[in-house]
Amino acid sequence: MIDDELVLLNPGPAGTSPAVRNALTRGDLCHREPEFTDLLLSLRSAIPQALGVHHTHESILLTGSGTAAMELAVTNSVRGGRSVLVVVNGVYGDRLAQIARAGGITVHEVSPPGAGLTSWVTPVDPEMVREALVAHPDVDAVACVHHETTTGLINPVKEIGEIVAGTGAVFVVDAISSTANEDQQLSEIHADFICGSANKGLHGLPGLAFVLCSDKGVNRLFEVPARSFYLNAATHLNAQRKGEVPFTPAVQVCYALDEAIREYHEAGGFAARTRLYRDRASLVRRAFDRLGLRILVDERYRGNSVTTLRLPDGVAYRGLHDELKKRGYVIYAGQGGLSADYFRICTMGEIPWYRLEMLEDALEQSIEAVRKL
Ligand SMILES: Cc1ncc(COP(=O)(O)O)c(C=O)c1O
């Protein structure tokens, strides 16, 4: 992030450092050459290592957005004639269910009680997952979003993972907006498929995603029928184990991720990254309180990056967005049914600290300016 640039306060693609962007210019490289094999093998171990799951999980690297990782994990985790249980309390949980249906997989859903918004601001009770597993013995996979970017809510993946681990089902976790930046250690959640992307908490560029598979996950992916050609997990894994890729990869974006992971370790790794995100969240949330902006999600359930805020009276999202953009900040609309009354501010990626300190004034001025329109 360069000082006079727009600060991206959207939940990805996140702002990146000059060195990460410059990594794109390392040069052209054919993915059939040994130099790419070295890069691929290095990333395959560096990603799980950065997230503390290198002793237990094996990487599948994908050229595609985070949704490609979700789709690979969901469609490669359920054997023929079985079903998936999906936790739904936001847009991304709903997407996991839609992906399964599109792949011809029977879906059972569990959602926190209450209609609409009420169920979206509540983490799912793990006991509901236990009961659903008893009610549907054909469930072969349980899928859950760790950090629901729709609202900024954290689901209890560790507790759900403990329940799933005691069954024959595998546990698919969408950690796309939580990898590296949320407090939960991914090594503790018993996930068999962890979905992530390069351009959120790891501060790489968009275009690469990954699925980290446990032994149970690897065994499972070899047992499922092929439901997709491009997103066939066995095809990717068999090739990547040999240092190859089945399709043309985003080579230069791999360079950028390699640089982003180098910077991540240089800055202190997981402990430092999560501390940074916690500190940012408390800085901006104190400012929101002073400005009288209401945060949607209860303090107990909030993650470290996304804050969903009620639009102040008389302030429409588009006007607020445009005024803040004039002052150097890009904010993000509410998602799904939240778009009319809420907006989001996400402190993800490379952001100079002083620009976050200046956000309060920019918000105050922008709200006043919209009210005068
Ligand atoms: C939790 C979560 N899952 C999945 C996705 C989808 O990622 P992409 O837009 O890169 O496909 C996002 C994107 O913001 C997300 O936040």
Side-chain angles (χ1 to χ4, degrees):
M1 164 87 218
I2 297 163
D3 283 357
D4 59 358
E5 284 181 4
L6 276 176
V7 172
L8 297 186
L9 297 176
N10 51 294
T16 50
S17 73
V20 166
R21 295 179 209 175
N22 287 339
L24 289 176
T25 63
R26 279 188 203 168
D28 296 333
L29 175 61
C30 171
H31 61 291
R32 302 291 176 216
E33 292 300 310
E35 291 84 351
F36 183 76
T37 296
D38 291 347
L39 179 61
L40 174 69
L41 294 178
S42 151
L43 285 175
R44 286 193 78 227
S45 61
I47 296 166
Q49 188 165 20
L51 303 174
V53 292
H54 49 300
H55 295 304
T56 48
H57 286 67
E58 182 172 1
S59 307
I60 297 178
L61 198 64
L62 286 171
T63 288
S65 79
T67 304
M70 296 165 85
E71 188 147 343
L72 180 137
V74 170
T75 58
N76 288 274
S77 59
V78 182
R79 287 169 291 189
R82 308 289 186 100
S83 66
V84 62
L85 178 68
V86 184
V87 171
V88 180
N89 53 355
V91 164
Y92 294 102
D94 184 54
R95 185 174 297 182
L96 288 167
Q98 287 188 50
I99 286 170
R101 287 190 190 100
I105 300 168
T106 303
V107 178
H108 308 286
E109 293 186 13
V110 277
S111 296
L117 201 51
T118 315
S119 105
W120 279 18
V121 294
T122 318
V124 75
D125 178 353
E127 287 311 310
M128 289 182 74
V129 172
R130 192 192 303 278
E131 285 161 20
L133 283 170
V134 172
H136 305 289
D138 67 327
V139 167
D140 224 16
V142 175
C144 181
V145 178
H146 179 203
H147 170 251
E148 244 310 344
T149 319
T150 320
T151 53
L153 174 133
I154 296 285
N155 272 316
V157 282
K158 181 167 184 264
E159 292 74 8
I160 296 172
E162 275 162 11
I163 292 168
V164 180
T167 72
V170 291
F171 188 31
V172 174
V173 175
D174 170 350
I176 287 166
S177 64
S178 57
T179 24
N181 49 288
E182 291 302 337
D183 301 334
Q184 178 68 64
Q185 296 276 358
L186 294 180
S187 56
E188 295 175 347
I189 64 174
H190 304 278
D192 299 301
F193 295 95
I194 301 170
C195 308
S197 104
N199 68 294
K200 289 197 177 2
L202 284 173
H203 300 191
L205 287 166
L208 280 181
F210 51 85
V211 179
L212 308 179
C213 312
S214 71
D215 289 347
K216 189 175 171 186
V218 168
N219 289 337
R220 173 58 55 83
L221 68 84
F222 284 117
E223 291 173 348
V224 301
R227 295 186 169 97
S228 161
F229 185 76
Y230 187 75
L231 294 175
N232 187 298
T235 307
H236 286 275
L237 191 59
N238 285 331
Q240 292 185 18
R241 281 179 166 172
K242 293 185 276 176
E244 296 168 3
V245 279
F247 313 111
T248 309
V251 175
Q252 284 77 5
V253 186
C254 292
Y255 285 144
L257 180 58
D258 178 56
E259 176 60 24
I261 293 177
R262 197 196 59 72
E263 288 186 348
Y264 169 81
H265 288 300
E266 191 179 68
F270 182 80
R273 182 66 49 94
T274 51
R275 190 177 333 111
L276 172 70
Y277 274 72
R278 274 196 301 281
D279 290 348
R280 286 175 174 179
S282 52
L283 175 79
V284 297
R285 287 172 189 166
R286 282 198 303 272
F288 301 151
D289 281 347
R290 284 193 293 273
L291 294 171
L293 292 169
R294 225 190 74 213
I295 301 178
L296 176 67
V297 173
D298 188 277
E299 208 172 343
R300 288 168 295 168
Y301 310 137
R302 287 177 203 159
N304 294 334
S305 63
V306 170
T307 310
T308 302
L309 298 153
R310 191 161 178 96
L311 283 161
D313 290 343
V315 176
Y317 173 71
R318 187 39 59 186
L320 183 61
H321 169 275
D322 294 352
E323 287 298 328
L324 271 165
K325 194 166 179 183
K326 284 185 209 160
R327 291 167 177 81
Y329 300 91
V330 173
I331 56 167
Y332 215 48
Q335 212 169 6
L338 296 172
S339 57
D341 299 317
Y342 291 88
F343 69 105
R344 286 175 291 171
I345 288 190
C346 176
T347 44
M348 187 176 271
E350 295 291 317
I351 311 174
W353 187 259
Y354 81 94
R355 297 288 298 273
L356 284 182
E357 289 175 329
M358 290 166 64
L359 178 63
E360 181 171 355
D361 283 348
L363 261 170
E364 191 168 28
Q365 290 162 15
S366 300
I367 291 167
E368 272 173 32
V370 177
R371 285 194 171 128
K372 280 189 200 141
L373 285 176

